């Protein structure tokens, strides 16, 4: 028995992502919200860590320091169910069911889908390489003209994400590309689950207030539109009913009540505050107290 086959698998996942920067985390948030068990390995050279102050990522009026940004990214991924481990991937092998990925500490993880989301730390791809990933010189050149959409590669179940999946070196582009990779991966999983093609690729991760998309009964609406989603796929009555129930259930979950919206707003703000520098929070709290006691706050509203 070889040394490798004696190794104990430390965990089995639907998806393992190598890289916990903005790219890897974006993929993890989507795959985990879809319900796929997701592990993110994150250790090694980071582009994000080299940014002095991130000033062009939408949503941060004063920019954001990258340690805080990284904490927010990781907190979001963990909150939706991703596991994150501070381990560095060093080798990957293909198996009958997908891949095994080995880390520097000798742990091995099994996964059906594998996402490469670390451009500067992708030597572990070498064993899966078919001339596509590492370039002739073992460097970082990828032929972008031939690069596949949705982060897919010539190896089934292996995807690129983030800076590794795009020729443009900006954080927001890395995040956008990674979102596309996540959707491609989810479409592929849905195909593997035997969903008809149109239904497999009809997937949106949305949350909205009930009544805001259509007037009337949302559940009845999505139940009625379901036949369009399966087109002329040849399904037994039982399979049709099963897929329709899943479809309706998922769509109904996306519609939340106004009170749930208010609750999520409060929770969202609370989570943000947890990651902001305490001194900045206290300083602002003092200002708010002063504004409130002088009535300034009322005028502003
Ligand atoms: C000096 C510099 C300044 C920049 N300034 C800006 C800027 O101001 N604005 C902007 O939009 N973009 C900027 N960029 C570009 C931006 O940093 C990248 O586009 C973006 O961070 C890419 O995100 P990513 O998730 O793909 O990769 P990364 O941010 O590199 O994340 C990869 C992650 O994977 C981990 N990792 C690496 N190897 C392994 C491994 N083998 N196993 C497990 N984990 C691994 C790393 O620790 C890291 O956390 C700058 C880049 C540099 C180098």
């Amino acid at each position: 028995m070889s040394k490798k086959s004696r190794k104990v698998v430390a965990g089995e996942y639907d998806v393992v992502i190598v890289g916990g920067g903005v790219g890897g985390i974006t993929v993890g948030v989507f795959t985990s919200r879809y319900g796929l068990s997701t592990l993110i390995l994150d250790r090694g050279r980071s582009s994000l860590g080299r940014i002095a102050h991130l000033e062009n990522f939408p949503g941060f009026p004063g920019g954001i320091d990258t340690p805080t940004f990284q904490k927010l990214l990781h907190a979001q991924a963990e909150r939706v169910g991703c596991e994150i481990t501070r381990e560095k991937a060093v080798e990957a092998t293909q198996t009958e069911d997908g891949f095994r990925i080995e880390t520097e500490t000798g742990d091995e993880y099994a996964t059906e889908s594998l996402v490469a989301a670390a451009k500067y730390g992708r030597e572990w791809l070498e064993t899966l390489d078919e001339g596509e990933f590492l370039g002739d010189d073992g460097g970082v050149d990828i032929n972008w003209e031939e690069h596949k959409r949705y982060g897919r590669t010539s190896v089934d179940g292996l995807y690129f994400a983030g800076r590794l999946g795009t020729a443009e070196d900006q954080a927001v582009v890395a995040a956008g590309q990674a979102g596309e990779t996540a959707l491609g991966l989810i479409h592929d999983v849905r195909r593997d689950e035997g969903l008809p093609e149109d239904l497999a690729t009809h997937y949106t991760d949305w949350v909205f207030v009930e009544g805001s998309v259509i007037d009337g009964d949302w559940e009845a609406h999505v139940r009625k539109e379901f036949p369009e989603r399966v087109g002329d796929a040849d399904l037994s009555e039982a399979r049709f009913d099963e897929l329709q129930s899943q479809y309706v259930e998922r769509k109904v979950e996306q519609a939340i009540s106004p009170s749930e919206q208010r609750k999520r707003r409060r929770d969202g703000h609370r989570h943000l505050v947890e990651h902001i520098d305490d001194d900045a929070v206290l300083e602002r709290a003092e200002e708010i107290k002063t504004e409130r006691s002088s009535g300034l706050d009322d005028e502003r509203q």
Side-chain angles (χ1 to χ4, degrees), residues 206-216 218 254-256 258 261:
W206 287 7
V207 181
F208 52 89
V209 174
E210 55 201 14
S212 67
V213 174
I214 56 144
D215 285 333
W218 173 243
Q254 294 185 335
I256 62 171
Q261 182 192 30

Side-chain angles (χ1 to χ4, degrees), residues 17-25 41-57 70 74 85-90 117-124 161-165 168-175:
I17 300 164
V18 178
V22 69
I25 294 293
L41 304 175
D42 190 36
R43 187 178 201 88
R45 216 173 130 197
S46 150
S47 295
L48 199 64
R50 297 184 63 201
I51 305 175
H53 196 70
L54 181 57
E55 299 184 339
N56 52 6
F57 201 93
Q70 190 85 334
H74 282 212
T85 170
R86 300 287 296 163
E87 287 185 86
K88 184 173 178 178
V90 290
K119 178 169 174 176
Y120 304 107
R122 60 196 181 97
E123 298 73 15
W124 59 272
R163 174 64 179 103
L164 189 51
E168 303 297 339
D169 198 1
Q170 296 289 171
V172 71
V173 180

Side-chain angles (χ1 to χ4, degrees), residues 250-261:
R250 191 172 280 281
K251 290 277 180 180
V252 166
E253 273 173 14
Q254 294 185 335
I256 62 171
S257 65
S259 68
E260 176 61 18
Q261 182 192 30

Side-chain angles (χ1 to χ4, degrees), residues 202 204 218 222 225 247-255:
H202 177 80
T204 47
W218 173 243
V222 292
E225 75 171 7
Y247 180 79
V248 172
E249 192 183 332
R250 191 172 280 281
K251 290 277 180 180
V252 166
E253 273 173 14
Q254 294 185 335

